[in-house]
Amino acid sequence: TLLVALVAAADRPRVALALVIGLTLLLTGLGASRPMLVLLVVWLVALGFVRRLVSLAAPFDQHDPLLLVGAFGIALLSIAALPGNGLLHRSPLAMTVLAVQAAIVASAFNPAQGSLLVGLTGLLFMLVPTMGFWIGRGLADDATVERLLRLIALLGILVAVYGLLQTFEGFPSWDATWIRERGYLALNVGDATRPFGSFASSAEYVLFLGVALVACLAFGLRASSSLPLLGGVALLGTAMFLSSTRGAVFTLAGALALMAMARRRVPLPLAPIVAAVAVLAVSPLVERLGPAAIGDGAATDLVRRQVEGLSDPLDPGSSTLVIHLAMIGDGIRSILDNPVGSGAGTVTLAAVKLGGQGGSTEADPSNLAVALGLPGFLAYAALATIAFHRAYRLASERRDALSLAILGLLAVTFFQWFTGGHYAVTFVVWLALGWLDRASRGAQPVAPDAYRRPTPHGPRPPR
């Protein structure tokens, strides 16, 4: 049946390619679920690039079947993960995830978002990525997640190279066509255009670079040579800075501080304070070093915007932080006027594509408040609190590269766990949350020097 459908769709490249990739995922999953998981992550990272490349043969359409491939793969993996999920065991984290998911499903039928089609399409962007939690809980053992994060570090380096080429060499025809046809004004910075690598947006591009950098640092510390670590971190850090996106720089500083505190087993009440200080220290540090960093060259506008925004984030003339804070505040205050929310479709691409009502506030707390009302906002607050408590406790107990990388991943993507247009990043975040719940159930403290690689004669002595 699939082959017949493929032949019938031969004159529609997007449909044909979606069928090919979907069939590949299905056949891979029939043999083993974990290779399918790796293949799905690679596909989600390459999705934006493939969509633009196909546009050379088939112009962009409002409804792209390639977007359904990821949802299809997540559905297959969710089914495969059922036996390993321990459905009778309900941890606090799993219960809060269920609560948020139930609120999202119920919101699909909210008439305030314009139509039922908008609500149901909103599930594709907001609900489907959260199924990664149950996949991680049921399938993602330590070895699987470690291999996956190492792969993400490698993919991040490749994406960074692509982004730097876009910055210094210009955009190839498929990228230039996408910019022109989509009219993505947020990419414009003076005479320069922000890079976006293989992704559909510069926002997901910089978040993925942050995840890759965190993974590179966590696993690179165990490497016998520091040169690959330094090279990878330098490349990823440069690409992140030239993305001209300020928020990720602040969250990265907080993530690295949390990882360092967990490795030193700093008590939990103190660790967030140290992370907050690290975030606040970004501005004076950039202000001191900023003028020397601007210089001349193809990326001057991007660097200048980054330096000016980071140096004085409260200046409306050089930073959009005040605007974003106002959007978040307005979104949360909307609970007072509409305690049941307006539906998942209002804060996702569903409203844009199908003419629904609403718009994203660009942050999870306010998006959940607008979409799901007071119940969804409270469930999100509980979810974030439990998740970070567990992640920090597990990382401080184990102090291994994997648990530290997961803590950093959750921190660097904070406030963007429900952004459905970030196809690869949101799925990886929810997969990490599922692994966290799985690992926390059987977590046992390990020796303080377990982070270090053992020698043939046993563990290395403490330094």
Side-chain angles (χ1 to χ4, degrees):
T1 302
L2 286 172
L3 290 177
V4 172
L6 182 58
V7 172
D11 61 337
R12 290 176 289 174
R14 291 182 181 276
V15 176
L17 183 58
L19 289 172
V20 169
I21 302 298
L23 180 60
T24 303
L25 288 172
L26 177 61
L27 294 178
T28 305
L30 292 176
S33 299
R34 289 175 176 84
M36 179 184 171
L37 175 61
V38 172
L39 184 61
L40 177 60
V41 170
V42 173
W43 164 250
L44 292 175
V45 172
L47 175 59
F49 170 76
V50 173
R51 293 177 67 198
R52 296 192 293 271
L53 202 60
V54 174
S55 69
L56 297 180
F60 279 108
D61 190 4
Q62 184 178 6
H63 309 295
D64 192 344
L66 291 174
L67 294 178
L68 299 177
V69 174
F72 176 68
I74 291 173
L76 292 178
L77 284 171
S78 298
I79 295 172
L82 283 175
N85 252 298
L87 297 179
L88 296 179
H89 178 82
R90 285 286 178 262
S91 66
L93 182 56
M95 292 300 291
T96 56
V97 171
L98 278 175
V100 173
Q101 289 178 327
I104 294 173
V105 172
S107 76
F109 303 93
N110 191 320
Q113 56 203 322
S115 70
L116 180 60
L117 181 59
V118 173
L120 295 178
T121 306
L123 298 182
L124 176 66
F125 294 104
M126 185 172 280
L127 178 67
V128 170
T130 67
M131 297 305 296
F133 176 84
W134 305 107
I135 297 171
R137 200 171 186 259
L139 294 177
D141 54 19
D142 286 15
T144 299
V145 177
E146 179 168 342
R147 284 194 294 268
L148 195 62
L149 288 176
R150 289 180 181 274
L151 173 64
I152 288 172
L154 176 60
L155 291 174
I157 292 174
L158 296 178
V159 168
V161 171
Y162 187 7
L164 291 173
L165 288 174
Q166 290 173 329
T167 301
F168 292 102
E169 299 297 329
F171 294 89
S173 59
W174 51 87
D175 290 340
T177 300
W178 177 83
I179 295 172
R180 182 176 61 254
E181 294 186 355
R182 292 292 176 167
Y184 194 179
L185 297 179
L187 290 176
N188 298 328
V189 177
D191 295 330
T193 302
R194 295 189 204 186
F196 44 83
S198 64
F199 296 97
S201 72
S202 60
E204 184 177 14
Y205 165 72
V206 72
L207 282 175
F208 190 81
L209 293 180
V211 172
L213 197 153
V214 163
C216 189
L217 279 172
F219 292 107
L221 290 174
R222 291 168 47 181
S224 57
S225 173
S226 61
L227 290 179
L229 168 66
L230 294 176
V233 169
L235 185 65
L236 291 165
T238 301
M240 280 191 72
F241 192 82
L242 290 176
S243 70
S244 195
T245 302
R246 281 73 60 94
V249 176
F250 288 111
T251 56
L252 178 64
L256 297 180
L258 281 178
M259 292 169 67
M261 294 302 99
R263 184 154 191 263
R264 288 164 176 75
R265 289 184 173 161
V266 173
L268 187 56
L270 180 60
I273 299 176
V274 175
V277 171
V279 170
L280 294 175
V282 170
S283 292
L285 180 62
V286 173
E287 187 177 12
R288 179 180 294 271
L289 301 177
I294 294 178
D296 298 315
T300 301
D301 288 338
L302 297 174
V303 174
R304 179 177 291 108
R305 182 181 187 276
Q306 190 77 303
V307 169
E308 291 175 352
L310 291 174
S311 299
D312 190 0
L314 297 180
D315 179 9
S318 60
S319 173
T320 57
L321 176 62
V322 175
I323 297 175
H324 287 298
L325 291 177
M327 292 172 63
I328 293 173
D330 291 342
I332 294 175
R333 282 192 296 271
S334 70
I335 294 175
L336 300 176
D337 298 323
N338 188 7
V340 298
S342 301
T346 58
V347 296
T348 66
L349 292 175
V352 177
K353 292 179 176 292
L354 301 173
Q357 302 296 319
S360 173
T361 66
E362 301 184 6
D364 287 339
S366 45
N367 275 344
L368 271 291
V370 171
L372 311 181
L374 181 60
F377 175 75
L378 294 178
Y380 166 77
L383 168 67
T385 301
I386 294 172
F388 273 109
H389 181 270
R390 284 201 170 192
Y392 188 85
R393 186 182 65 181
L394 187 68
S396 61
E397 287 177 352
R398 291 176 41 158
R399 297 205 304 171
D400 63 339
L402 179 55
S403 60
L404 290 170
I406 294 296
L407 174 63
L409 184 158
L410 296 178
V412 80
T413 59
F414 193 41
F415 282 4
Q416 299 297 324
W417 296 355
F418 288 88
T419 306
H422 298 168
Y423 305 104
V425 170
T426 50
F427 176 69
V428 170
V429 166
W430 286 97
L431 190 76
L433 287 170
W435 172 87
L436 175 64
D437 195 48
R438 176 189 179 112
S440 297
R441 280 188 283 163
Q444 296 294 332
V446 295
D449 59 346
Y451 184 87
R452 305 186 180 99
R453 176 180 293 175
T455 66
H457 305 290
R460 296 178 182 176
R463 296 178 181 177

